Amino acid sequence: MIGNSAGRAFIGSFTSAGGRGVTAAAVDRDTGALTVLGSTDAVPDPSFLAIGAGAGGAALYAVGESAPGVAAAFALDGDVPALLGPVRAVDGDAPTHLALAANHLVTANYTSGSITALPVLADGSLGAAASVLRHEGSGPDTGRQEAPHAHQVLADPSGNWVVSVDLGTDSVRVCALDPATGALRLHGETALRPGTGPRHLAFHPSGTFAYVLGELEPTLTVCRWDAATGRLDVLGETPVLPEHEAADDAARTYPSEVVVAPDGRFLWTANRGHDSISVLTLDESGEKAALVATVGCGGRWPRDLTLDPTGQWLYAANERSGNVSWFAVDAETGVPAHAGSVEVPAASCVVLV
């Protein structure tokens, strides 16, 4: 067992590409460094993870980005996660993301273009799928937007809504989730500029703004969020790469993740292809974003970014170079400085406890 002086991280990876499944690591809070403790391949292609709480303490949840797709819960009593209850079908293909909301685990099923709610039981394990909400629509990119492709799902800061981001339909959906039955109901849908291919969304700490990152165009869409009405309104767009670099067809960029500083001063995006992390400043309200710098991601094809709760350390899961890099974040500028890396084949995401 690791000591209480160290934190823990869990790293997802693609087993179909040589990944180890879910890798557990100790986190040195003073240096940000990760030390691998072990791994489990109990779930195929656990590309995204989330932390929740069960009766016995913290629990880890994973999607299996397979066809058919699955979700699983893990107990965290030992150094390596152990399955907690049965692996559950999500009644959809290629789930890419998951979130905990209203006593349920909700998955975003990319290939099926749907989201699924599974009950979280008292011991932290998962029950069978309670409901599936299917998206409808398409976009102008016939190769990537021929149908709905739900890429992310998350609870809004108020906990009253579930938000799903769909790359295929260039839209963000707001849903209600019944905590008693797991029934999902579409409440509203916000259209983004066609062809941007929205992938992931992050909320401002104030809870009044949301930032949607495009995968098919390196752009950030700033939105106003009203939790009282469950309404998301587009305010404008900001590039996440310098104009001359964004236009370079020889090195097309596919942004993957967006994270916001706990104090709301900075925002970072991971950019695959460009293999960089972009730094944007946010004004005092959170309404205006401006690109100020890009730095190397410490590897190739950064699929995920994670910020530790203090805002001091930033982690990049670099899928194609098979490593996780960590960066010290400058408190004044928000610019991350590479501090180290650890080998994790086919890394896809990092979550911290």
Side-chain angles (χ1 to χ4, degrees):
M1 296 289 292
I2 62 172
N4 291 331
S5 61
R8 279 204 285 180
F10 298 96
I11 306 162
S13 65
F14 288 98
T15 55
S16 59
R20 300 168 183 148
V22 177
T23 295
V27 182
D28 186 317
R29 294 192 176 101
D30 294 326
T31 67
L34 302 180
T35 301
V36 170
L37 301 172
S39 60
T40 173
D41 60 359
V43 174
D45 290 341
S47 62
F48 214 87
L49 311 173
I51 297 290
L60 180 73
Y61 298 91
V63 291
E65 193 173 330
S66 53
V70 297
F74 292 86
L76 300 180
D77 300 331
D79 284 349
V80 177
L83 277 177
L84 179 62
V87 175
R88 297 292 189 179
V90 301
D91 296 342
D93 292 343
T96 59
H97 200 268
L98 74 169
L100 293 154
N103 303 321
H104 287 76
L105 184 75
V106 188
T107 67
N109 311 315
Y110 181 83
T111 302
S112 300
S114 62
I115 62 174
T116 302
L118 303 95
V120 177
L121 306 181
D123 65 352
S125 65
L126 297 174
S131 67
V132 178
L133 181 64
R134 304 194 182 279
H135 294 182
E136 296 180 357
S138 60
D141 186 327
T142 56
R144 295 292 308 279
Q145 297 183 307
E146 81 294 345
H149 292 302
H151 213 305
Q152 184 201 32
V153 63
L154 69 165
D156 86 299
S158 75
N160 294 326
W161 307 100
V162 171
V163 178
S164 60
V165 181
D166 196 300
L167 184 149
T169 62
D170 291 315
S171 63
V172 178
R173 289 168 172 81
V174 179
C175 304
L177 172 59
D178 188 321
T181 66
L184 287 158
R185 175 179 59 82
L186 180 63
H187 173 75
E189 183 175 1
T190 299
L192 278 65
R193 181 166 59 83
T196 52
R199 178 183 173 95
H200 278 198
L201 176 154
F203 286 99
H204 188 272
S206 68
T208 56
F209 295 96
Y211 311 96
V212 188
L213 183 65
E215 176 175 331
L216 302 184
E217 288 193 19
T219 186
L220 186 79
T221 302
V222 180
C223 303
R224 188 181 304 278
W225 170 246
D226 185 342
T229 61
R231 182 181 175 93
L232 187 73
D233 292 311
V234 172
L235 299 177
E237 292 183 14
T238 299
V240 300
L241 290 179
E243 184 176 354
H244 68 283
E245 296 178 28
D248 184 0
D249 290 335
R252 185 170 176 184
T253 297
Y254 300 90
S256 59
E257 184 61 291
V258 53
V259 294
V260 181
D263 62 6
R265 295 171 57 214
F266 304 109
L267 177 151
W268 299 270
T269 72
N271 310 307
R272 296 169 299 175
H274 196 262
D275 290 342
S276 65
I277 298 170
S278 294
V279 185
L280 291 86
T281 56
L282 299 172
D283 69 359
E284 188 173 350
S285 70
E287 184 174 347
K288 302 292 185 182
L291 176 66
V292 294
T294 60
V295 300
C297 67
R300 294 178 52 237
W301 212 251
R303 190 177 179 90
D304 184 49
L305 282 182
T306 300
L307 190 68
D308 85 315
T310 68
Q312 182 180 2
W313 302 103
L314 186 67
Y315 296 85
N318 298 309
E319 181 184 351
R320 293 187 180 175
S321 55
N323 68 304
V324 173
S325 296
W326 55 91
F327 301 78
V329 176
D330 188 294
E332 297 301 320
T333 67
V335 176
H338 187 261
S341 67
V342 65
E343 179 188 357
V344 183
S348 57
C349 81
V350 181
V351 295
L352 302 171
V353 180

